[in-house]
Amino acid sequence: MPRQTLADVSQAGTAPRPSHALRALLMAQFLGAFNDNVYKMVVSLLAVQEILKAEAGSAALALVSAVFILPFLLFSGYAGHAADVLSKRTVLVVTKSFEVLVMGLACGALLSGRLDYMLSVLFLLATQATFFGPAKYGLLPEILPARDLARANGLIEMSTFVAIILGTALGTAMFVVWDKQLEIIGLCLIAVAVAGTAASLRVPPVPPSGARQAFRLNPWGEICRGLRRLARESRLELTVLGIAFFWLLAALMQMAVLLFGKEVMGLDDLRVGLLGTFLALGIGAGSLTVGRLSGQKVELGLVPLGALGMGTSTLLLSISASSYTLTAMMLVGLGFAGGWFLVPLQAFLQYKSRVEERGLLLATTNFLSMSAVLVASGVLWVCHDLLKWPAGPGPNPTDMSRSNVYYYPATRVVAAGLIGGLLASTVLVRMLK
């Protein structure tokens, strides 16, 4: 298997104690991801209610995802510039403080009960996440020895998806309990944002990278510069494309699971929300496992295994509607394989990017990843609304006949995706050697 050694790379300067630095960063990002997913889940469930009341298509649900990714498309260039020119710790603290303000607005939006207000707040929350991401990932090589980079990425991804699990589950439970008192949810979100800001203050100070590029008013100027930089080095370009491919699949699956649970399995809001937690649980477990397996190396050989696992689990998921337990198991397996696919690519990107361009490349990765998420929203709309493909194998989930499963269009698409994803990831790993 191809391996890229990290242990032999020296870290400039004296790094703070990894346990202290990493704990503070993990807590700050965990609480932020938790807040994001509680709020996004509440808004998504409200959107699903609108769909059912109006007997409309999936446009309202796709809009929630589209609003959340729009700031990544608009402001990723600015976020990369800030992470390179300013201290990443400063960017971290400022963005966490902004989160407190946004959650105050969220409380008012939930009190109003208007979906358009809630979507506006979701836009602001995504803007905060846009600036937080490059600073968070860019900090890892600056506060940790290089030999700990792969394991730290595993912990970051694991804690992020644990936050998704808890945020999705508790967000669903809070919605069920307080669906007529949504302002209570808003007050809880404010409290979590304050705690996350306090945690960010404990991240050790780091100096700016020394980058001197001028600020560009054009929001896509920095992204174009990042794309040109990636084009000059095929290994980085392929790594970023692999990460974007992962987020396309993850976003499509997250939205499809909501419709799958409602339209095919006939589940209530609580059990539909819990389906998403199984997917996040698998990604968290897979990320932690691959971090431990990698040790002091970036184990790129796990990437094609992750692609194979994702394709197989998705194919089995398409015929699992008759059993909630089987569906949950397939989602866990899908997420576990996703962790094996994502973490080695994230660690490789951080290791190979120079300190003065790390924010730029991470921001460009965010831009491409969120563009892929936007594509996923379009795919959902085309498949569900235009082509009228059902979210499951058919009107009778227990009918596993050849006509109902084998010729189900989505099953054939997934099978093709399984083969294509495996081939693509194998080529990717070989080119990254």
Side-chain angles (χ1 to χ4, degrees), residues 377-401:
S377 297
V379 170
L380 178 72
W381 177 71
V382 169
C383 293
H384 186 269
D385 294 353
L386 292 187
L387 300 180
K388 303 299 182 182
W389 287 358
N396 180 10
T398 61
D399 179 9
M400 297 300 163
S401 65

Side-chain angles (χ1 to χ4, degrees), residues 170-227:
L170 292 180
T172 303
M174 293 163 75
F175 179 80
V176 171
V177 174
W178 292 317
D179 64 326
K180 304 301 182 184
Q181 297 173 293
L182 295 177
E183 66 275 9
I184 298 178
I185 300 177
L187 293 175
C188 295
L189 296 175
I190 293 174
V192 173
V194 170
T197 302
S200 71
L201 294 172
R202 298 176 56 242
V203 175
V206 296
S209 69
R212 292 290 183 266
Q213 64 263 27
F215 174 78
R216 299 187 182 191
L217 186 60
N218 179 359
W220 299 286
E222 286 294 294
I223 299 301
C224 291
R225 189 166 73 90
L227 291 174

Side-chain angles (χ1 to χ4, degrees), residues 28-44 64 68 72 96 99 102-103 121-122 124-130 132 136 160 163-164 167-168 171 189 192-193 254:
Q29 69 90 32
F30 172 84
L31 293 175
F34 174 83
N35 252 6
D36 290 352
N37 283 277
V38 169
Y39 184 74
K40 189 178 178 183
M41 193 66 200
V42 169
V43 177
S44 295
V64 174
F68 190 78
F72 289 91
K96 293 300 294 182
E99 183 185 340
V102 173
M103 287 309 173
V121 172
L122 186 64
L124 294 177
L125 189 60
T127 300
Q128 181 267 343
T130 301
F132 183 79
K136 173 184 71 175
T160 297
I164 292 174
T168 302
L189 296 175
V192 173
Q254 185 182 38

Side-chain angles (χ1 to χ4, degrees), residues 4 45 78 86 98 153 162 174 194 209 340 351 353 359 388:
Q4 177 65 54
L45 290 172
Y78 299 151
L86 304 175
F98 181 66
N153 272 276
V162 168
M174 293 163 75
V194 170
S209 69
W340 283 41
Y351 170 55
S353 57
K388 303 299 182 182

Side-chain angles (χ1 to χ4, degrees), residues 18-33:
S19 57
H20 167 70
L22 189 56
R23 277 201 306 266
L25 182 59
L26 285 172
M27 183 59 65
Q29 69 90 32
F30 172 84
L31 293 175

Side-chain angles (χ1 to χ4, degrees), residues 49-194:
Q49 283 188 352
E50 292 294 325
I51 291 173
L52 296 178
K53 287 179 182 177
E55 297 183 352
S58 61
L61 185 58
L63 182 61
V64 174
S65 178
V67 167
F68 190 78
I69 67 171
L70 185 59
F72 289 91
L73 304 180
L74 294 177
F75 307 132
S76 283
Y78 299 151
H81 179 84
D84 282 337
V85 174
L86 304 175
S87 166
K88 294 178 179 63
R89 193 259 190 185
T90 299
V91 177
L92 203 75
V93 172
V94 170
T95 54
K96 293 300 294 182
S97 301
F98 181 66
E99 183 185 340
V100 178
L101 173 62
V102 173
M103 287 309 173
L105 297 175
C107 186
L110 291 170
L111 181 62
S112 73
R114 292 188 54 172
L115 188 59
D116 54 345
Y117 289 173
M118 297 178 200
L119 291 174
S120 299
V121 172
L122 186 64
F123 179 88
L124 294 177
L125 189 60
T127 300
Q128 181 267 343
T130 301
F131 282 84
F132 183 79
K136 173 184 71 175
Y137 285 111
L139 264 173
L140 288 178
E142 297 183 23
I143 65 176
L144 296 173
R147 65 179 179 271
D148 294 333
L149 192 55
R151 184 170 297 178
N153 272 276
L155 289 171
I156 284 283
E157 298 302 330
M158 182 273 294
S159 62
T160 297
F161 285 99
V162 168
I164 292 174
I165 294 168
L166 294 177
T168 302
L170 292 180
T172 303
M174 293 163 75
F175 179 80
V176 171
V177 174
W178 292 317
D179 64 326
K180 304 301 182 184
Q181 297 173 293
L182 295 177
E183 66 275 9
I184 298 178
I185 300 177
L187 293 175
C188 295
L189 296 175
I190 293 174
V192 173
V194 170

